[in-house]
Amino acid sequence: MTSVLDDWLQPRPGGGAGGVSDRLSRLRPAVGEPRDGGDADHPTADHLDTDDSGADDSDGGLIPTGPQTRFHERMTYGLRTALNAQVPGDLVAVSRMDVLLGPDRRARPDVSLVDDLAASDDRRTCYLAEEVRLVIEVVGPDSAAWDRDVRPRHYAAAGIPHFWRVESTDFRPFVYSFELDADGAGYQVTGVHHTRLAVDAPFPIAIDLERLPR
């Protein structure tokens, strides 16, 4: 049985530094192949990920199913811009780039802080988890369960050291900051930041959440 998604958003052969982007084509199982004991037509939820618009890569393609809010777009742009104004020279903040979390799992964080060497290669379509220092998710109405539970577990399991979750009250942002716990089993909260975000890791950062670039 074939799927209408068979040719959706599959990377071109050879398109990426060191074959990194080629790995995306191998993340998708053969059509009809069950994952970890899951039914072929109903893959297990633990091997799915979605993007903020509700996109689902459970069948190997990404299907946008809902528009993002202006708040979501503003936070993504503002935090990426604010980070890039303060980062040391060996890091770059990027938005909406795939991160490979394992042999059969990927995600597309709203913002990622990646090694400059990886970010400087414009052929790249994705980054390895070990190239990522921080991921940021902006919680939306269609992605709240993923942003608060599923994605943090996946990011922690992949060893990404820092995670921020952006929430809002009446579209005024506040941020939960997390870092991997000592045994790397999950994240522990390091702060809840209203109006001003100030942390010491992954580098000293101070961001006025009420005056983000627009």
Side-chain angles (χ1 to χ4, degrees):
M1 180 177 177
T2 60
S3 166
V4 295
L5 303 177
D6 284 352
D7 298 320
W8 275 39
L9 298 181
Q10 297 299 318
R12 293 187 296 274
V20 170
S21 65
D22 291 348
R23 300 184 188 188
L24 283 176
S25 64
R26 298 200 293 272
L27 292 178
R28 184 181 184 278
V31 175
E33 176 184 321
R35 306 186 190 200
D36 283 0
D39 184 271
D41 295 322
H42 299 88
T44 58
D46 192 46
H47 285 283
L48 310 185
D49 206 349
T50 59
D51 75 6
D52 300 306
S53 60
D56 185 344
D57 75 352
S58 63
D59 200 19
L62 296 173
I63 313 170
T65 59
Q68 69 175 337
T69 63
R70 164 60 174 149
F71 173 81
H72 191 286
E73 188 274 339
R74 183 166 61 85
M75 289 298 103
T76 300
Y77 172 80
L79 287 170
R80 177 190 176 184
T81 303
L83 282 169
N84 276 328
Q86 301 182 44
V87 291
D90 61 340
L91 296 172
V92 176
V94 300
S95 58
R96 310 295 297 149
M97 290 291 294
D98 281 14
V99 176
L100 303 187
L101 304 177
D104 59 355
R105 177 173 293 135
R106 64 178 175 178
R108 187 175 296 167
D110 289 315
V111 179
S112 303
L113 192 64
V114 303
D115 294 341
D116 176 67
L117 184 61
S120 65
D121 186 349
D122 286 340
R123 297 172 297 170
R124 294 285 290 269
T125 63
C126 59
Y127 302 110
L128 303 176
E130 56 263 35
E131 297 172 322
V132 179
R133 310 287 186 86
L134 163 72
V135 287
I136 304 173
E137 294 289 1
V138 181
V139 175
D142 296 328
S143 66
W146 288 89
D147 294 333
R148 293 169 180 162
D149 179 39
V150 179
R151 287 176 178 143
R153 286 192 285 109
H154 291 175
Y155 293 147
I160 295 175
H162 299 279
F163 171 65
W164 295 355
R165 190 180 80 230
V166 182
E167 302 268 1
S168 67
T169 301
D170 297 327
F171 298 105
R172 296 186 64 184
F174 60 98
V175 178
Y176 289 87
S177 59
F178 301 86
E179 65 180 11
L180 276 178
D181 57 24
D183 59 7
Y187 287 116
Q188 59 183 3
V189 65
T190 60
V192 183
H193 310 269
H194 297 264
T195 68
R196 185 173 183 272
L197 187 154
V199 295
D200 293 327
F203 63 91
I205 309 166
I207 297 175
D208 187 341
L209 296 174
E210 296 190 333
R211 295 181 179 273
L212 286 171
R214 301 171 68 90

